[in-house]
Amino acid sequence: MSILDKVNFPPDLNGLTIEELETLAKEIRKIIIQVVSKNGGHLSSNLGVVDLTLALHRIFNAPEDKIIWDVGHQSYTHKIITGRKDKIFSIRQRHGLSGYPDIFESEYDAINTGHASTSLAFASGMAVARDKQNKKHNIIAVIGDGALTGGVALEALNHIGQIKQRLIIILNDNKMSISPNVGGISKHLNYLVSGRPYIRLKEVIQSILRLIPAIGKSMVDIARKIEVLIRTMMVPGSLFDELGVKYIGPIHGHNIKEMIKEFEESKKYDFPVLLHVVTEKGFGYKPAMQNPSSFHSSAPFDIHDGKFIRSSKLPSYSKIFGQTVLKLIKKDKRVIALTAAMPEGTGLEIVQKKYPENFYDVGIAEQYMFDFAGGLSISGMKPVIAIYSTFLQRAIDQIIHDLTLMKLPVVVGIDRAGLVGGDGATHQGIFDIAILCSIPDIYVASPKDENELQHMVYTGVKSNKTVFVRYPKEPGKGVNLDEDFKEIPLGKSEVLREGKDGVIFAFGPLVYEAKDAAEKLSKNDKIELSVINVRFIKPLDKELILNYIKKKKRVITIEDGILEGGFGSIIKDIIVSENIKKINLLSLGVSDGIIEVASREELIEKYNLNSEGIYSEVKRFLNKKRINIFKI
Ligand SMILES: Cc1ncc(C[n+]2csc(CCOP(=O)(O)OP(=O)(O)O)c2C)c(N)n1
């Protein structure tokens, strides 16, 4: 019988010795490696916090004590020992466990997370509420050194240090964001870990003491006292202490005994404390320790050699984006590539390697990145941002207030746009169209394939406009790339198929699904549809679109974004505002704002956005005499 067999909930940890906890940690690591090798997931971050999680749950009394996991991608051990062990192999699968904390999944999950840097603010609010209600429980925020670079975390620290509620912050420092962490805070943490000034001064004093011939006992005592004094004065906890949060550490994050002692101590303070816990990403699995970035958000892999099992050999849109930016920089050194802590995911890693002087990783700082781009742009440079759709949400004010109102040219690659597999509701890219299309004076484009992507990015940089280009994570068709860049006429659509019975408007890779569906309708049902590759969702190619709407009367819109306020509703608005009569409109898209955990294929199927779904929905729509989805 393993120790894990006996552990279902945190109180089961109480009777275990330190050795048994260490064995349990090994058992849990094995399970996590197995799970992620099958389902994919955040391997290195989870392996790094197994010991930390056991120590936390041993000392604190969840769910009464609130443990908040920043980002939440590292919560697998927490899930395993809070009643979800039997479901852990379902993680990130449809109808399975979420890969992030979810208050609807378990009472042990204090808040939902997924986007970085929110834990401290939540913890602070919860601590104030606790104190106002005269409750006594502990509130513990676990935040990584990467997430600590996020503005909202720093805003929280600033406030926490002022209002000084009782609050425990566990800083899980592994020197890594997804890639090696960046910036002054990261340097400061390294400085704290190495304790350099203290060590240097200690050496100096010891060598002075060595010069005194016979050191009596009292002298040794004095030396020790001096050392303690120096330690108090010199161990630099300065940034946090200066902000009003007591710094404790560094603490060995793979030494359960040491953590248990320090966590127990931390309960005694009636003001905010930060425990600096040093961990290693990927701890306990060699391939992940050697390559923590690749195993950060890992594809399924072979446990024996750590080799990834790729579902597609085709290059991703992100890769084509990175290559395009590389070519653009080669031609024009004013092009500057920017990422907020995602050089690998966004494909900009090759730019970072080849043109480090034309590349900036700003850390988890999406808002800053857009204003930084604004500063570059207003001064004559050509910033190109790569960002996931879901994280773009952080920077909406910067886009409106800082870029648009000054009409500053910036090109933004919106990666992971549309439905996103595995991560669930927190990581969907379904809102960008609805949000961006309401902003004046910008361009929102979506290429149907990789070749169109490179031309759009090139066109964007050349245009001196604010241009957003959205594309999904999954590879496209693997079309050949033109050798030379071509300019795509801004705001112009492309007619891909002509048919008398109606028109489908689509954009992005779903254009191919629409075209396949139209061909099947032609072959099987003698229904002939025009298919338009919309290309620019904003501004729309109004003349062409109106023309087709008026001529065809039966209009189908397709998008992998939220329907409310999305492309379909923009088309509906045009029909109404232009007072076009007798139009039947079917809008296919995402009807839920909160998306269940599932693969992209499953989600695309659920919302009838693959060729089969489009085929059957459109057939049903066209077969109806009177269409009630939307009729004017
Ligand atoms: C706002 C936001 N930007 C980017 C990300 C993508 N992301 C997920 S985890 C991560 C790194 C987090 O590093 P850290 O907090 O140190 O945790 P670790 O994985 O190292 O344990 C990043 C950039 C995110 N989740 N949220």
Side-chain angles (χ1 to χ4, degrees), residues 188-261:
H188 184 68
L189 296 180
N190 289 343
Y191 178 76
L192 294 178
V193 171
S194 57
R196 247 175 259 128
Y198 157 64
I199 289 164
R200 245 182 279 128
L201 204 68
K202 185 180 162 187
E203 280 163 5
V204 172
I205 287 179
Q206 278 176 349
S207 51
I208 292 170
L209 291 177
R210 266 198 300 274
L211 295 177
I212 303 169
I215 300 177
K217 193 176 173 318
S218 60
M219 205 53 189
V220 173
D221 284 349
I222 291 168
R224 285 219 181 99
K225 277 183 187 146
I226 291 173
E227 197 187 318
V228 169
L229 191 67
I230 292 166
R231 202 169 139 81
T232 320
M233 280 165 47
M234 293 305 297
V235 172
S238 55
L239 174 64
F240 304 104
D241 288 315
E242 291 295 321
L243 284 169
V245 176
K246 181 180 169 59
Y247 173 88
I248 299 165
I251 298 162
H252 193 317
H254 298 295
N255 183 330
I256 295 178
K257 190 174 174 194
E258 185 180 335
M259 282 187 285
I260 284 179
K261 182 176 147 281

Side-chain angles (χ1 to χ4, degrees), residues 533-547:
N533 171 20
V534 172
R535 272 187 179 158
F536 289 88
I537 313 153
K538 185 185 173 69
L540 283 174
D541 189 346
K542 217 167 159 188
E543 202 186 319
L544 180 140
I545 287 176
L546 278 176
N547 197 12

Side-chain angles (χ1 to χ4, degrees), residues 312-323:
S312 171
K313 294 210 167 11
L314 295 171
S316 63
Y317 281 93
S318 319
K319 188 164 183 194
I320 307 295
F321 182 87
Q323 288 169 352

Side-chain angles (χ1 to χ4, degrees), residues 338-349:
L338 306 177
T339 175
M342 317 288 286
E344 296 198 342
T346 56
L348 286 183
E349 205 187 8

Side-chain angles (χ1 to χ4, degrees), residues 543-561:
E543 202 186 319
L544 180 140
I545 287 176
L546 278 176
N547 197 12
Y548 271 85
I549 293 174
K550 284 178 190 160
K551 265 203 317 222
K552 308 292 172 189
K553 300 284 181 204
R554 300 197 292 184
V555 178
I556 299 117
T557 64
I558 296 181
E559 64 195 300
D560 59 346

Side-chain angles (χ1 to χ4, degrees), residues 270-415:
D270 59 1
F271 46 80
V273 294
L274 179 141
L275 285 78
H276 186 179
V277 177
V278 180
T279 62
E280 184 171 355
K281 222 163 163 162
F283 190 76
Y285 182 58
K286 215 168 166 197
M289 287 164 92
Q290 286 167 341
N291 200 349
S293 300
S294 301
F295 282 94
H296 176 88
S297 179
S298 163
F301 61 93
D302 183 335
I303 294 183
H304 302 294
D305 55 13
K307 292 228 164 75
F308 294 112
I309 303 160
R310 302 245 178 237
S311 51
S312 171
K313 294 210 167 11
L314 295 171
S316 63
Y317 281 93
S318 319
K319 188 164 183 194
I320 307 295
F321 182 87
Q323 288 169 352
T324 305
V325 178
L326 195 78
K327 275 167 85 178
L328 289 167
I329 293 174
K330 203 171 170 193
K331 283 174 194 281
D332 184 348
K333 292 290 176 298
R334 289 173 302 169
V335 175
I336 307 283
L338 306 177
T339 175
M342 317 288 286
E344 296 198 342
T346 56
L348 286 183
E349 205 187 8
I350 59 169
V351 177
Q352 180 179 29
K353 287 201 179 112
K354 188 97 200 267
Y355 295 115
E357 68 287 4
N358 286 65
F359 168 88
Y360 290 91
D361 174 357
V362 299
I364 303 178
E366 289 80 7
Q367 297 173 325
Y368 168 77
M369 175 166 64
F370 275 81
D371 281 353
F372 180 54
L376 290 167
S377 176
I378 206 166
S379 315
M381 306 304 276
K382 291 178 174 289
V384 177
I385 287 172
I387 186 167
Y388 290 7
S389 172
T390 197
F391 305 136
L392 175 89
Q393 292 165 194
R394 283 267 161 107
I396 298 307
D397 186 51
Q398 284 66 32
I399 293 168
I400 298 172
H401 177 268
D402 302 325
L403 301 185
T404 309
L405 296 187
M406 288 186 269
K407 296 191 195 303
L408 294 179
V410 174
V411 172
V412 183
I414 311 181
D415 203 321

